Amino acid sequence: MNKAEKKFRIYAIIVIFVLLTVLLTVINGVNFTMAADDADMLTEMLSERQGSFERGENAPGDFQYRPKDDGFRMGPMGPQSPEMNASLRYFTIAFTDSGEAETVAFNISAVTESEAREWARSLYREKTGWTKGTYRYRVYKKGGTTYVTVIDQGRELLPSYRILIISAIGEAAVLLTGWFVLLFIGRKIYAPIEEADRKQKNFIKNANMEFRVPLTVIYANTELAERKYGPDDQTRSTRRQLSKMNELVDRLGEISVFDGEPGQAAEFPFSEYLTRALDKKAAEFEAKGVSLTVNAAPGVTVRADRDAMEKLIDELICNALKFSLSKADFTLKNENGRVVLETENDADLPDGPADQVFDRFTTLENNKEKENGAGLGLPFVKQTVRAYNGRVSAEVKDGAFALRIVM
Amino acid sequence: MKILFAAPDRDLLECYKSILENDMGELIAAFDGAQVLSLVGSEKFDISVLDCDLPRVEFDRLTAKMKEKQIPVIALTNGHKAKDPKADAYLTYPFTPDVIEDLIRKTLDRAKKGQINE
């Protein structure tokens, strides 16, 4: 499985997970909120009747105490059920100002009457809420008496808990199934991409190999022609073109080697190598009239294959040298525990994102210099950076080409 | 000096025959491994320049034969094949005539000093 396919599957499963979690959280949240509202409605009904369905103006089962606004409470199936006064498990304890307790109603089996009084006393200073998991309570005052009503909502909450558990199991099942579906879909989607990638790599490898012998023959024949007729403009032009082709073949060779896995990772002295490499090229920058600025924080290192990193830095310097008009800046620093390398050079390029430079054989049009590379250096840079889970981006702003690497 | 130059590309053999015969000595060309073995069996060479991808015979076998005959080997490679430690020197395509001539001289010097692979 290639990296892109793996990434696709991981992102897709994360999206499914987030969407399902949001959906199920909303459903279960609303369900539990409504259960609490239903319970509050019941304790409110009881508070209006001084803690007992046996009290008040209406007889048990009388529909008059049902609120008009039914909402989602499902009429007789909800708290307004005419059977509620007969089926509700609850108790109400009244406390006088002196703290004397009196049982107003006791229709519950889970605790004894004296335990209920103690329980109510512990809730005396509260207002409303859940107690012991599935019991809803309300504390209210009527006259000089404080009432504590506790109702059992265990049976009413049971379906909500079942839905919660089923939701969790269902989500896990969907994610598992989704993972296998994505495995299948991912292969279908990525098979042609992988094939194209494999063909491109093979082409580069073969082109690299197949061009080498013909180039050798052309070099030799040019030499023979020069020996026979003497060097002239044609043979000199042939040699220049041969040099360009030679460079291209070498680059293809490097890329085809790096198309495999990166080498052994070790601590690479980034700032040290960058500074040294730029020092070596300083004269060339100067000769080209390019002002070079280097801000490399000392001691910056990265864990990576040494050869690949050296080549990456060489490519960036080569690029700056080739395309800069008058200035080139290199900044290396540690930022949030990661190594950040920024390069900027004026290059008279059209403004905008320039990520196409990371595509093989693609170069940006440079109107003044007309010196375009083979389009293989920056793709190599991107490949190297991504091999170590880094990021690389490029843009052109005010005609300056800026590249940022984070790894 | 007698050089055995073996490569599958006939144009390469032809141009290097002209160049090396003019500059260094006699060049005997071969375009596959079987020819190399046959030539080594019948003639004496001072040095051999062998392409790593010669058809018909494995490169290992050719280098072994050269060692047996005490003929130094310069291996021509396209850069992808792992280097065979049995060869005395390596040259990666593409190269120019002066590079290969220089390498031939250096390898012969080393051979005379007994510094080549045994």
Side-chain angles (χ1 to χ4, degrees):
Chain A
M1 180 171 47
N2 76 20
K3 276 186 181 174
E5 185 191 338
K6 197 174 172 182
K7 219 175 211 178
F8 162 75
R9 283 171 61 192
I10 289 170
Y11 284 151
I13 212 77
I14 287 172
V15 169
I16 294 171
F17 172 74
V18 169
L19 290 176
L20 268 178
T21 304
V22 168
L23 178 71
L24 296 176
T25 303
V26 168
I27 289 173
N28 284 285
V30 168
N31 203 12
F32 277 98
T33 304
M34 289 185 76
D37 281 353
D38 288 350
D40 286 343
M41 184 181 282
L42 285 169
T43 58
E44 194 183 343
M45 282 182 206
L46 284 163
S47 74
E48 284 165 3
R49 310 168 82 77
Q50 286 153 333
S52 171
F53 282 126
E54 306 301 325
R55 293 186 178 185
E57 292 173 3
N58 301 313
D62 191 328
F63 285 79
Q64 285 183 25
Y65 59 72
R66 284 190 287 150
K68 284 177 186 170
D69 180 17
D70 188 41
F72 281 104
R73 292 192 171 78
M74 315 298 279
M77 286 195 288
Q80 297 92 31
S81 163
E83 301 297 336
M84 189 53 73
N85 58 343
S87 62
L88 186 67
R89 288 88 52 211
Y90 73 103
F91 65 83
T92 300
I93 308 294
F95 293 93
T96 60
D97 283 343
S98 58
E100 209 173 304
E102 184 201 339
T103 304
V104 176
F106 187 77
N107 182 27
I108 199 162
S109 307
V111 289
T112 63
E113 197 175 328
S114 64
E115 284 169 341
R117 285 185 181 200
E118 284 310 304
W119 190 356
R121 197 178 290 282
S122 70
L123 300 169
Y124 183 78
R125 297 196 184 284
E126 307 291 331
K127 283 184 178 170
T128 185
W130 291 104
T131 174
K132 296 190 180 179
T134 57
Y135 293 87
R136 192 79 177 169
Y137 66 87
R138 181 185 288 270
V139 182
Y140 48 95
K141 277 198 167 193
K142 295 276 180 187
T145 309
T146 301
Y147 294 86
V148 178
T149 293
V150 176
I151 63 172
D152 169 35
Q153 287 288 279
R155 279 185 289 175
E156 286 74 8
L157 285 174
L158 183 63
S160 302
Y161 277 110
R162 279 183 179 151
I163 288 171
L164 179 68
I165 292 164
I166 291 166
S167 299
I169 294 170
E171 183 170 356
V174 168
L175 288 176
L176 189 68
T177 312
W179 183 255
F180 287 108
V181 170
L182 285 169
L183 185 73
F184 177 73
I185 292 174
R187 279 181 190 159
K188 287 265 177 205
I189 292 172
Y190 279 93
I193 298 171
E194 266 179 37
E195 175 68 9
D197 187 52
R198 194 182 56 76
K199 279 181 179 168
Q200 191 199 42
K201 284 176 180 169
N202 275 348
F203 167 77
I204 288 171
K205 189 176 176 183
N206 292 337
N208 166 253
M209 289 163 67
E210 298 301 325
F211 287 155
R212 285 178 180 273
V213 173
L215 275 174
T216 312
V217 174
I218 299 169
Y219 269 125
N221 281 331
T222 309
E223 173 88 19
L224 282 171
E226 283 183 340
R227 285 183 186 188
K228 200 167 178 183
Y229 306 107
D232 57 17
D233 287 348
Q234 282 69 42
T235 57
R236 279 190 281 273
S237 162
T238 305
R239 282 191 184 278
R240 280 196 298 276
Q241 296 306 318
L242 277 169
S243 293
K244 284 186 182 177
M245 283 195 74
N246 203 358
E247 191 187 339
L248 177 67
V249 165
D250 282 346
R251 280 172 172 272
L252 288 172
E254 286 161 6
I255 283 175
S256 64
V257 168
F258 197 70
D259 270 340
E261 289 297 308
Q264 188 76 34
E267 215 57 40
F268 174 72
F270 210 131
S271 32
E272 190 190 310
Y273 185 83
L274 177 70
T275 314
R276 206 172 56 232
L278 282 167
D279 276 351
K280 278 185 194 166
K281 293 281 181 183
E284 286 182 54
F285 276 101
E286 199 180 333
K288 213 187 156 197
V290 175
S291 137
L292 179 65
T293 312
V294 186
N295 290 309
V300 176
T301 62
V302 70
R303 198 162 173 75
D305 174 50
R306 188 177 184 95
D307 290 346
M309 291 311 297
E310 286 182 358
K311 171 121 185 70
L312 178 147
I313 292 170
D314 293 345
E315 284 295 344
L316 294 176
I317 295 173
C318 172
N319 222 47
L321 189 58
K322 198 180 274 185
F323 296 108
S324 300
L325 297 179
S326 65
K327 70 182 195 77
D329 298 342
F330 282 78
T331 306
L332 178 69
K333 57 191 173 184
N334 267 319
E335 205 174 83
N336 302 324
R338 305 201 76 175
V339 172
V340 177
L341 174 65
E342 291 167 338
T343 71
E344 189 176 311
N345 59 278
D346 55 343
D348 188 34
L349 292 163
D351 282 6
D355 286 335
Q356 67 268 35
V357 293
F358 300 120
D359 296 334
R360 285 176 181 177
F361 306 110
T362 306
T363 56
L364 297 173
E365 187 70 31
N366 185 322
N367 293 328
K368 284 186 183 166
E369 292 293 296
K370 295 284 180 203
E371 184 177 15
N372 287 329
L376 290 169
L378 291 179
F380 171 82
V381 168
K382 184 179 180 181
Q383 200 175 358
T384 307
V385 171
R386 292 190 69 172
Y388 295 105
N389 299 317
R391 293 191 312 273
V392 58
S393 59
E395 67 165 342
V396 179
K397 202 174 174 185
D398 302 327
F401 177 77
L403 193 130
R404 182 179 160 88
I405 292 172
V406 181
M407 57 186 302
Chain B
M1 177 167 43
K2 198 169 179 182
I3 305 164
L4 173 60
F5 197 115
D9 191 289
R10 294 188 187 227
D11 286 336
L12 182 80
L13 291 174
E14 206 170 290
C15 60
Y16 268 96
K17 189 171 173 59
S18 302
I19 291 170
L20 296 180
E21 285 202 333
N22 185 60
D23 296 351
M24 305 194 87
E26 190 186 356
L27 185 146
I28 305 295
F31 50 85
D32 66 32
Q35 268 195 319
V36 169
L37 290 178
S38 156
L39 284 165
V40 169
S42 60
E43 295 184 45
K44 197 167 164 45
F45 294 96
D46 296 299
I47 192 163
S48 63
V49 179
L50 308 178
D51 186 296
C52 284
D53 292 319
L54 278 177
R56 298 182 68 183
V57 180
E58 287 294 312
F59 187 69
D60 286 357
R61 214 180 128 199
L62 295 177
T63 50
K65 187 74 182 171
M66 296 299 158
K67 291 297 113 183
E68 188 189 313
K69 297 277 181 182
Q70 293 185 316
I71 303 168
V73 179
I74 294 176
L76 303 179
T77 166
N78 55 28
H80 281 276
K81 205 152 197 164
K83 288 182 176 177
D84 184 338
K86 288 189 187 109
D88 302 296
Y90 276 86
L91 190 56
T92 306
Y93 291 113
F95 49 83
T96 53
D98 52 333
V99 170
I100 194 167
E101 285 176 2
D102 188 45
L103 190 62
I104 289 171
R105 284 189 200 100
K106 282 179 180 165
T107 309
L108 280 170
D109 278 351
R110 282 173 52 218
K112 278 177 194 164
K113 291 173 189 168
Q115 291 171 346
I116 61 167
N117 293 323
E118 292 303 325

